[in-house]
Amino acid sequence: MASQEESSQPSDTLTTLKTESETLKTKLEEERAKLHDVELHQVAEKIEALGQFVIKNRRTLKGHGNKVLCMDWCKDKRRIVSSSQDGKVIVWDAFTTNKEHAVTMPCTWVMACAYAPSGCAVACGGLDNKCSVYPLSLDKNENLAAKKKSVAMHTNYLSACCFTNSDMQILTSSGDGTCALWDVESGQMLQSFHGHAADVLCLDLAPSETGNTFVSGGCDKKACVWDMRTGQCIQSFETHESDINSVRYYPSGDAFASGSDDATCRLYDLRADREVAIYSKESIIFGASSVDFSFSGRLLFGGYNDYTINVWDVLKGTRMSILFGHENRVSTLRVSPDGTAFCSGSWDNTLRIWA
Amino acid sequence: MSNNNASSSSVAVAQRAVKQLRLEAKIRRINVSQAATDLKNFCLQNAHKDPLLVGVPSSDNPFRPPKSCGLL
């Protein structure tokens, strides 16, 4: 009965709420602006400029028959898992470029893959709307697909996945607009994260010292920081002008970077609760598909849809270098666990190691 | 009937948005100058340990060739 009365004037309530929403948004921006006393690059003015350094394509991993969509490093700093449009997931030894395992998924466009912290399993998924875990067998002849475990079920494509600090839990993001935390053993959903207004394209887990949070980015141009225990969105940032394809935490956990179809990468500081740097140039007009930091956080590597990798000085905001080599879009990029190299994957079907 | 359902779900969505904004407005923030200084200090303190930044001798980097040779 009460609900009937309320809904008899739905447009008034809606209008009131929308006005309050706008007022709160303005107030949020005002509060953030009050603390905006300086730019990051101004604080960085007195630091020595970085010298010339040489980063080259040291290895090329060939073997995928179609576009490479995702890759991840093993904690042993030498193995890599990669996934492709043709449904293949391959585990490589990056030192020797040998393929160690290969799995054929039942779907095409395997957009997400991740290495388990133990190095004993990989997770992957894509157009099948699921995230599945494959234990890696020492027996090269064993059919990995036989031991496959379906863990996550979304109602649209899987865009990203990553193990938490153990092999027991996986975090996923999906085209259905949600993220979720799953127990690998039982396949049970432990927590779901609602708040994005469109496809979620990427996620990254905070460095373990920082606690139980993760950041996600989506087609709604928003980046959201979530509390993993409560499912609550703690902070959100909406300054990009197009889809956010990649998010990555700064090594201290106090900030994160994003790469977007608006051709910029941006840095958001979590304690100042705002964007603190934009990495862009007029000459860069293609979207950034993937970003990652060097070990100290001083360099930001961005893979772009114009086939290049741009290397940015995070503090000064300037571009240090452009790396050429790929013959099609760079779709994925990760720095190795000890920072000695980074790997990029591309629509040219290859992965390249740079050091 | 369906009209009421649609409006009440829009209202519910708007209510959630307002609730979320109130939560986000409450968080404690620090000055950009302090945040930026901390970011800068972290970079500088860890710079010497960053192999891609300082470059490590080829013997320590498994991906770099052990001796200079023209690889064609």
Side-chain angles (χ1 to χ4, degrees), chain A residues 226-298:
Chain A
W226 306 87
D227 180 326
M228 279 168 66
R229 284 162 299 191
T230 64
Q232 185 70 47
C233 169
I234 313 171
Q235 287 169 275
S236 68
F237 305 90
E238 211 168 342
T239 61
H240 270 294
E241 294 166 18
S242 188
D243 299 2
I244 298 179
N245 298 314
S246 174
V247 285
R248 195 72 69 211
Y249 271 92
Y250 185 78
S252 72
D254 288 334
F256 70 90
S258 58
S260 163
D261 275 352
D262 68 7
T264 71
C265 297
R266 295 177 197 233
L267 186 69
Y268 297 90
D269 188 288
L270 294 172
R271 297 178 311 149
D273 187 39
R274 61 170 302 122
E275 175 193 288
V276 292
I278 307 184
Y279 307 101
S280 66
K281 277 179 103 71
E282 268 184 42
S283 52
I284 302 176
I285 56 172
F286 284 83
S289 63
S290 47
V291 294
D292 203 354
F293 287 99
S294 70
F295 183 84
S296 66
R298 182 67 189 270

Side-chain angles (χ1 to χ4, degrees), chain A residues 73-80 92-96 100 337, chain B residues 63:
Chain A
W73 287 89
C74 178
K75 281 204 157 74
D76 71 0
K77 307 163 250 188
R78 74 183 277 171
R79 284 178 180 75
I80 284 179
W92 314 77
D93 177 334
F95 290 178
T96 61
E100 297 199 339
Chain B
F63 293 107

